[in-house]
Amino acid sequence: ADPVLGEQNRSLGGVPPITSALDRTLEYVRTGVPLDRRLRVTVRSHTERPRMLRFRTLIPPGVRGEGLPDSLLLAPGATSELYITLKGQLAAGRHEFGVGVESEGTIFVEGFATIEYPHIRPQRMYRQSAAYLQAVPVNIPRGLRVAYVRGVSDASAPVLSQLEIPLTTLEADQLPLLDLTQYSTVVIGPRAYETSAELRAANPRLFEWVRGGGTLVVQYGQFEMAQPGMMPHPVEFSRPAARVTREDAAVRVLDAQSKLLRWPNRITDADWSDWVQERALYMPSTIDERYRTPLAMQDPEEPEQRGAILDLPMGRGRYVYTSLSLFRQLPSGVPGGARLFVN
């Protein structure tokens, strides 16, 4: 009985007596670099009596796990956060890692999160206490120091940190007073200009910093990017905006000497494999000739699009605008997306 809403009904739901969960389901790892990664394992009791727990792990070849206790006595209804450190080296590819909890002859390998809002029936979302380790052959240039301004539905910054890129996540309202000279690169997240007046106001300062030697990477926006001052030189968008929706659409290299495709990682056909959902979205249809456009792509029976990457030298620095759906590729563990993002 709720004092305001009156009688409330909830469905009964069963849960395992013991649950375990990892806080992430995907971890990027650089190949050829010693791995030293700490992961959190959350174990919960849903019983009314103590349980003795022992841990079982699934660890890929070349890696060992350290830090989990041999056993743990978990009190009724208690939660314990444990940490396992993975050390070693991984070959390129996707590897499975998991933690199981054994108690009274049963191994438990699931955890859950409860989704609860006033307008829906509460739901439990289960997932296994496992993660993929995505090992990627990626080179990180020395001296790289990145400031990342988060965009809309943007989960790319944690991936860049997993690739061991020195990275600071910023809010747009920090830009006016920030000493930009401490960074080699500023990355703007997808659709950030659409949602932040502070970012739009900071654009002249960002452009001046680029002319002094910085690199500014701007991920896709929508029609607001055609407004004066949003980009160094004007672009226009068709309505509806051009997209390449086939994730396996052929990619044609227009400028094989483009630094963005050669350094620090040489981009090959393999880097366009296994993309998810789409190649690019909200691609400019009219592009100022001062931008370099190293890539072309198209959906079947659609016009060729050259707005995937716009590369512009500015003074001693560089401005890069990309409509590639990298914000989808990185959280999905697409190796080529990570290698191209680093470039």
Side-chain angles (χ1 to χ4, degrees):
D2 185 280
V4 176
L5 301 176
E7 182 179 291
Q8 300 292 296
N9 295 311
R10 295 185 59 153
S11 300
L12 292 176
V15 298
I18 302 294
T19 58
S20 64
L22 300 174
D23 51 354
R24 293 188 293 271
T25 58
L26 179 74
E27 288 280 328
Y28 277 86
V29 175
R30 293 172 61 195
T31 61
V33 177
L35 173 64
D36 190 351
R37 187 69 53 84
R38 194 168 183 243
L39 303 179
R40 183 173 62 188
V41 184
T42 302
V43 182
R44 291 187 172 93
S45 167
H46 307 279
T47 70
E48 296 180 347
R49 57 186 174 82
R51 297 286 288 256
M52 180 62 70
L53 311 181
R54 295 186 183 276
F55 297 93
R56 300 288 183 264
T57 56
L58 172 65
I59 298 180
V63 174
R64 68 184 186 276
E66 301 176 354
L68 284 181
D70 293 332
S71 60
L72 173 69
L73 181 62
L74 194 62
T79 297
S80 180
E81 290 189 350
L82 307 172
Y83 292 88
I84 181 171
T85 300
L86 301 181
K87 294 186 176 183
Q89 289 198 28
L90 283 172
R94 181 166 290 196
H95 307 269
E96 292 184 342
F97 163 75
V99 176
V101 182
E102 182 178 358
S103 179
E104 299 183 3
T106 301
I107 298 179
F108 302 98
V109 293
E110 280 188 324
F112 68 87
T114 300
I115 300 175
E116 187 169 358
Y117 294 98
H119 63 286
I120 64 171
R121 180 177 298 170
Q123 302 175 60
R124 294 184 182 90
M125 303 294 290
Y126 282 85
R127 72 181 187 198
Q128 291 190 333
S129 53
Y132 287 113
L133 304 177
Q134 183 68 59
V136 181
V138 57
N139 297 314
I140 306 298
R142 293 181 179 179
L144 187 63
R145 300 180 307 280
V146 176
Y148 196 106
V149 180
R150 195 185 307 274
V152 176
S153 299
D154 187 3
S156 297
V159 172
L160 300 179
S161 295
Q162 291 172 18
L163 293 173
E164 303 176 30
I165 294 174
L167 181 142
T168 303
T169 302
L170 303 173
E171 299 297 331
D173 58 9
Q174 296 177 257
L175 290 174
L177 300 178
L178 188 68
D179 178 15
L180 293 175
T181 61
Q182 62 185 306
Y183 301 107
S184 64
T185 306
V186 174
V187 178
I188 307 298
R191 295 177 60 185
Y193 283 100
E194 178 185 359
T195 59
S196 174
E198 293 85 358
L199 177 58
R200 296 192 293 271
N203 236 19
R205 185 166 188 255
L206 288 171
F207 290 169
E208 187 62 30
W209 169 78
V210 172
R211 294 186 186 95
T215 297
L216 180 61
V217 178
V218 178
Q219 297 176 70
Y220 97 98
Q222 297 189 348
F223 300 112
E224 74 279 356
M225 300 308 297
Q227 297 174 6
M230 290 298 96
M231 297 177 64
H233 302 299
V235 299
E236 295 180 5
F237 294 85
S238 60
R239 291 182 181 267
R243 310 170 79 105
V244 176
T245 62
R246 288 284 296 269
E247 61 268 21
D248 58 351
V251 177
R252 188 163 68 93
V253 175
L254 303 177
D255 180 8
Q257 300 306 310
S258 171
K259 183 179 179 181
L260 299 179
L261 304 179
R262 293 188 299 113
W263 185 87
N265 303 285
R266 182 169 293 278
I267 303 303
T268 68
D269 290 345
D271 291 301
W272 300 106
S273 299
D274 302 320
W275 279 48
V276 298
Q277 190 162 338
E278 59 194 340
R279 288 284 195 212
L281 65 168
Y282 285 88
M283 306 176 77
S285 54
T286 303
I287 301 169
D288 189 283
E289 62 183 10
R290 285 168 283 194
Y291 292 108
R292 300 170 181 171
T293 54
L295 296 176
M297 57 189 67
Q298 66 192 103
D299 278 326
E301 302 181 8
E302 293 286 341
E304 184 176 73
Q305 303 294 334
R306 300 193 175 194
I309 297 178
L310 278 57
D311 179 19
L312 177 71
M314 288 180 63
R316 292 187 288 114
R318 193 182 207 101
Y319 176 93
V320 180
Y321 180 84
T322 179
S323 60
L324 291 169
S325 62
L326 296 174
F327 70 101
R328 300 194 196 281
Q329 311 314 314
L330 266 66
S332 299
V334 177
R339 285 163 46 83
L340 186 58
F341 204 128
V342 170
N343 283 16

